[in-house]
Amino acid sequence: MADPWESTMDHAVAIARKAGEVVCDALRGDRMVTTKSSAVDLVTQTDQKVEQLIIQSVKEKFPTHRFIGEESVAAGESCILSDSPTWIIDPIDGTTNFVHAFPFVAVCIGFAVNKQVEFGVVYSCIEDKMFTARRGRGAFCNGEPLQVSQQKAVEQAIVATEFGSDRDPEVVDKIFQSLRNVLCLPVHGVRGAGSAAMNMCLVASGCVEAYYEIGVHVWDVAAASLIVSEAGGVLMDVEGGEVDLMSRRIIAANSKTVAERLVKTIVAFSPPRDDAAPSDRCEDSTHLSARKV
Ligand code: IPD
């Protein structure tokens, strides 16, 4: 059957590649850094420029489509996923990596209809790896099919996670309790690429068995969530059950077995949801400042 979203996905891949070129060019110059919800939640002019580039290009081609974009939400736009065709955009996932030229940064474009992700594009632009997935049609990296690892023993797994950008000591304590529990399972190792989407693409590629994080946003994980499931992986909430992309909690694993072991191991908590009213999202403007790197 003809794919109704084929040309839409082709456009997403083309615009992700173009956005990646802008990101790589910017790495060769100065980067003006500002902070958002905390002193370590960074944003640069390149994040904003790339998001505008993607949104403009999509608006011209698909004028009725809607958007959820990291920087648009930071600027006060709503973060509601309706049934309408919606582009979920993270212009640079791994902004801290970008600021430090740590080489894992990704342009993420998810596309959802009826609240279901139809395709996902994650472009790791420094590595020049284009990860794509179309619902029901598999996941690929530069056109090669992806398959999760077949290792089901968590004791022989590598688990990826991140520390996020919340420095509330109570939150940091919970993150460290989880990390301690995971290390003591024991696992072969813990890794973190500095980008939620890249960690999830590592799960899809079979390099790590699982990734978990509490504190991610819908734009970090929407595109990559389909890449994981189409590569044969499993998505689960940190307390078990289905993942809610707005909940800011995710386990992406190679199997139900590994995901369920992590559910028993992680210390769960609930940050304010992405679709909460802006006043409940705890944005703290006292951290706003700009500096060049
Ligand atoms: C962040 C990165 C980071 C993760 C944070 C994300 P950003 O996204 O994915 O690895 O720990 O939770 O918000 O801000 O670089 O787009």
Side-chain angles (χ1 to χ4, degrees):
M1 199 178 66
D3 178 356
W5 300 116
E6 189 177 337
S7 66
T8 317
M9 184 168 168
D10 289 347
H11 189 72
V13 172
I15 193 68
R17 198 175 292 284
K18 199 163 166 192
E21 278 167 25
V22 175
V23 174
C24 288
D25 281 351
L27 273 170
R28 289 184 270 273
D30 290 337
R31 296 175 292 286
M32 185 61 77
V33 185
T34 318
T35 55
K36 296 192 286 186
S37 63
S38 77
V40 295
D41 183 8
L42 309 183
V43 61
T44 70
Q45 283 170 341
T46 310
D47 296 69
Q48 290 152 346
K49 182 175 161 188
V50 168
E51 183 160 317
Q52 277 319 306
L53 177 115
I54 297 171
I55 291 178
Q56 259 328 104
S57 156
V58 174
K59 269 189 180 160
E60 277 162 27
K61 223 169 150 50
F62 307 103
T64 60
H65 289 185
R66 305 173 75 107
F67 301 92
I68 293 175
E70 173 170 16
E71 306 317 333
S72 310
V73 172
E77 297 223 355
S78 73
C79 184
I80 304 293
L81 185 58
S82 69
D83 286 344
S84 306
T86 304
W87 295 67
I88 305 168
I89 301 161
D90 188 344
I92 303 180
D93 186 46
T95 300
T96 306
N97 286 354
F98 170 72
V99 168
H100 293 268
F102 191 81
F104 301 105
V105 294
V107 177
C108 302
I109 304 178
F111 178 76
V113 184
N114 296 324
K115 302 189 182 73
Q116 187 167 42
V117 181
E118 287 290 341
F119 64 74
V121 175
V122 173
Y123 183 43
S124 174
C125 52
I126 300 176
E127 298 182 289
D128 190 21
K129 286 186 178 171
M130 181 69 76
F131 294 89
T132 57
R134 170 75 180 97
R135 193 163 64 84
R137 296 178 192 228
F140 300 85
C141 176
N142 290 346
E144 293 297 317
L146 295 175
Q147 171 72 59
V148 293
S149 148
Q150 298 305 300
Q151 178 56 259
K152 300 232 170 82
V154 81
E155 295 78 7
Q156 291 177 49
I158 288 187
V159 175
T161 191
E162 297 289 337
F163 299 108
S165 56
D166 194 330
R167 295 295 183 268
D168 174 341
E170 272 182 37
V171 170
V172 173
D173 281 349
K174 287 185 180 133
I175 290 171
F176 272 89
Q177 278 168 30
S178 293
L179 189 59
R180 180 187 183 284
N181 294 350
V182 169
L183 280 168
C184 293
L185 277 167
V187 292
H188 271 184
V190 172
R191 300 286 185 271
S195 149
M198 290 311 309
N199 287 321
M200 291 169 75
C201 288
L202 289 168
V203 173
S205 305
C207 308
V208 307
E209 277 65 33
Y211 158 70
Y212 73 89
E213 188 174 345
I214 302 178
V216 286
H217 294 280
V218 60
W219 44 81
D220 301 316
V221 297
S225 65
L226 192 67
I227 294 170
V228 169
S229 51
E230 287 294 322
V234 166
L235 302 165
M236 204 175 272
D237 179 64
V238 294
E239 290 184 272
E242 261 182 51
V243 158
D244 170 350
L245 289 178
M246 290 287 172
S247 73
R248 305 189 54 201
R249 315 183 335 161
I250 196 161
I251 295 174
N254 65 336
S255 60
K256 199 163 171 256
T257 315
V258 168
E260 282 172 346
R261 278 299 292 279
L262 289 177
V263 166
K264 290 193 185 128
T265 308
I266 295 167
V267 177
F269 59 96
S270 301
R273 294 174 59 83
D274 277 332
D275 52 7
S279 55
D280 295 334
R281 275 194 227 129
C282 295
E283 300 294 337
D284 180 355
S285 58
T286 58
H287 293 292
L288 292 180
S289 65
R291 72 190 162 82
K292 217 186 244 185
V293 293

